Amino acid sequence: MTYLAKPKLHHPRLSTNALGFTRRDYEGAVSTLCAGCGHDSISGAIIQACFELSLPPHRVAKLSGIGCSSKTPTYFLGASHGFNSVHGRMPSVLTGASLANRELVYLGVSGDGDSASIGLGQFAHCLRRGVNMVYIVENNGVYGLTKGQFSATADKGSRSKKGVGNQDSPIDLIGMAILLGATFVARSFSGDKAQLVPLIKAAIEHRGAALIDCISPCVAFNNHPDSTKSYDYVRAHNEAVNFLDVIERREEITLEQEPGTVELVRQHDGSYLKLRKLAPDYDPTDKIAAMTYLKEREAAGEIVTGLLYLDPRSEDLHDRLGTVRAPLNALGEKELCPGSAALETINASLR
Amino acid sequence: MPMRLEATNDFVVKFANVNGSGSASANRLFARSILRMGVPIASRNIFPSNIQGLPTWYEIRVTEAGHLGRRGGVDLMIAMNPQTFARDLAEIEPGGYLFYDSTRPMPPSKFRSDVNVVGMPLTEIVNARYTDARQRQLFKNIVYVGALAELLGIDLAEVETLIGEQFRGKEKLIPANLEALHMGRDHAAAHLKDAVGLKVRRADAVGNRIFLEGNDAAALGAVYGGATVCAWYPITPSTSMAEAFTKHCHRFRIDPDTGQKRFAIVQAEDELASIGMVIGAAWNGARAFTATSGPGISLMQEFIGLAYFAEVPAVIFDVQRGGPSTGMPTRTQQSDILSAAYASHGDTKHVLLFPEDPRECFAFGALAFDLADRLQTPVFVMLDLDIGMNEWLCEPLAWDDGRRYDRGKVLTAEELEAGRDFGRYLDVDGDGIPYRTYPGTHPSRGAFFTRGTSRDAYARYTEEGAAYVDNMQRLLRKFETAKSLVPKPVREDAANPTRHGVIYFGSTAPAMREALAELKARGIELDTLRVRAFPFAEEVIDFILEHDQVFVVEQNRDGQLKTLLVNEGAIDPARLISVLHYDGAPITARFLIDEIARRWALLTGATNREAAE
């Protein structure tokens, strides 16, 4: 089947951003996912975040692996280049793309099967390398396209739609990401756009590896009462530790909130994140404390969401490699080819 | 007294050492001193999958006639490894020479009556001079180089010059090395006068040729070819290519003003990630490559198929070796031909280049990036361990400063702005190659979504069979186009007309050339064709059709190139006779002469019988 393009009629009063684009300019093709799928809400949040940041859509590259989640890049940012790669290997393709041109925004979209099972190795290594990207895992605990098998993030003891119990320990993507050296780690819920949109914006602004583990219920296979990834379960157990406002660099920073409940975090590139604290003692820049808190709350049955870890002194892969400022894909013979005279010197040294 | 082999500028020396004992640089010093005498050599490492302790060998063929293949057999064995003493001794030709460390007396039963024994108390000499264990070990190697120079008549001044060059910048190490060298020379002069009948005589047969490894040359090719992204995973025998690329980039690709790098090299977590990064970078407009070997190619299969269908210009250097796991991986073979040619699932086929020596490793290494960009498809450069990890004597590397990179069909922002129709998979001019755009080029035009197969000519998602078939046919047209772009085969006909030919490729070339002269002397005349690329140019198929029988020489068990010829050229298999060498050692002229002569006798015998009937 070929998808119909959405009608390009704009409501005359649609608001525009600094580039003169409306929200519609950030949309993609019509989604073919199930009605009510959490993934569509995440696509909506990505559209909203890019619109609010006034990102030129063509300066974003969106990459994915295989699965329901990985189909979604078709459904947002239609003016961006996209790459639906192979199962579990989006991180390496994104890493390569980022090496070729450091000036674009790289948005990696993956699922729990894609990232926590077949792609766990690449998930781990792209985070520890500090690839400058936003890595969103659309996490529903289940394989959708192959009709309802457990994924590796399914909680132990949770039951499938057919009543089978999951006996294996779940992969904790958040805990792994923090340990592996991701410098921006957040968890959110597809049903909470107010929380998710600022997190995506902040992740885009962050330089370094930013992971958002976004619980995104599967209405077809994992939204029943025995599931721990259903809308009802996540709403009942969601405990946000903070709420984020992204402060654009040019804005004047004012703190009007009650002291002690708001914190400004200055990032390496000079930008600020304004954190409204919901859990007063939670310090997302303290790795050990964050891990302890997350494990304690997890044991208590809570799903902790918000910006869970941030390294304000982050650097990215290009910083570490020491590459030139210009994109590598823009260099030509003049910059790259040493020429025949240098070759003669080499020849002479090999006699 | 055993017979004595007497030869000048035509013999084989083999060093039997212990891995990690520092012998490699001493042996190389010896080898290069012969080159400086103007006498060509062919050198080969035979080494284990090991860092320290296991046996390792280094073989030097001294050949004024310029036969650069492996000869087979050993005339002078430098037996420095007690572990392998018996088998090293057994390998010496009758009348040959055994040079060994005679510090510990050995019973006559340990030697061969038909081999001349040259004993030198190396351990005693170094122990008397040095107290440090590591010094004793390292200088023992230099001592035997000094002794060998004396025994074989190598001008010691050449060795001294090489030591000076080797330690440039670390001059304080030079006197100690010279002292050890002279100790060896003096001992041999005093105690081993005329012990060896093999001599190196100054000649002028090297010319301006250079001596380097194929991996090093291929890495230089990647630098000259404009590669900016290298993603790789360590695997013998390809590792030294990625390391050489790193070395050359640090020399040639540092921005002089900022000190920043005009390259990015990532040691990936595995081969899957390596090729994924290459594909991501190439998709995004950088020239990117990986260096790997057979097991890596196996792991990359899924991604290679994606690159084929998504039409991403990935360059893969496959330094071929023996099979999986441990053992044969440090031995040479040409056994990835089929797995590279048809890598992946679905219907796929790929461009392969077959360099014959380091010079072609450089040339094809650079060319691969032009071909990949022009054809928008993976390109394999098929080295093997023999070319990749041994220093070969070859013509100097050459580069034309007027050459411009062929980036292929890439639409610019201006072309998109001008309203040019863009269909990512649309065949505009009949060569099967569509236009592409780099991400981020134009604010509103030229974006497309990259997938495997399920899309139409405008990169829109579709699962319709007709669109799929259309696309697959276009990919075939593209492969046809490739035939005219890849390096042509090199044909050399026999002096007299013949109905028989031989096809060979890659590292077989020097042994083949040497064998042809001897075969001709035996009345076996063959036209020859060196295949340099897949898909096969028309000339390859024509060559087969012009001959009744064609030998196909390969370094694998299954005749993989022959299979490819039969399959892609619709050739009657009966026309092709496989000559196969796959014991892990480089193919030799002796093997080729014996095999081809044996088959020839059968063939002509058969012809005679037919004529009689």
Side-chain angles (χ1 to χ4, degrees), chain A residues 94-138:
Chain A
L94 189 151
T95 302
S98 162
L99 291 174
N101 183 357
R102 60 189 299 174
E103 290 183 348
L104 303 185
V105 171
Y106 294 95
L107 183 55
V109 177
S110 179
D112 39 311
D114 206 51
S115 282
S117 289
I118 189 170
L120 191 61
Q122 297 214 342
F123 168 84
H125 287 277
C126 76
L127 295 178
R128 60 179 273 273
R129 281 193 190 100
V131 180
N132 189 13
M133 65 178 172
V134 181
Y135 189 137
I136 299 178
V137 180
E138 305 189 347

Side-chain angles (χ1 to χ4, degrees), chain B residues 540-560:
Chain B
V540 177
I541 307 306
D542 290 347
F543 179 84
I544 297 172
L545 297 179
E546 283 172 27
H547 295 88
D548 294 341
Q549 298 278 293
V550 175
F551 296 99
V552 183
V553 181
E554 308 187 49
Q555 300 186 52
N556 60 58
R557 186 195 67 181
D558 290 341
Q560 298 188 18

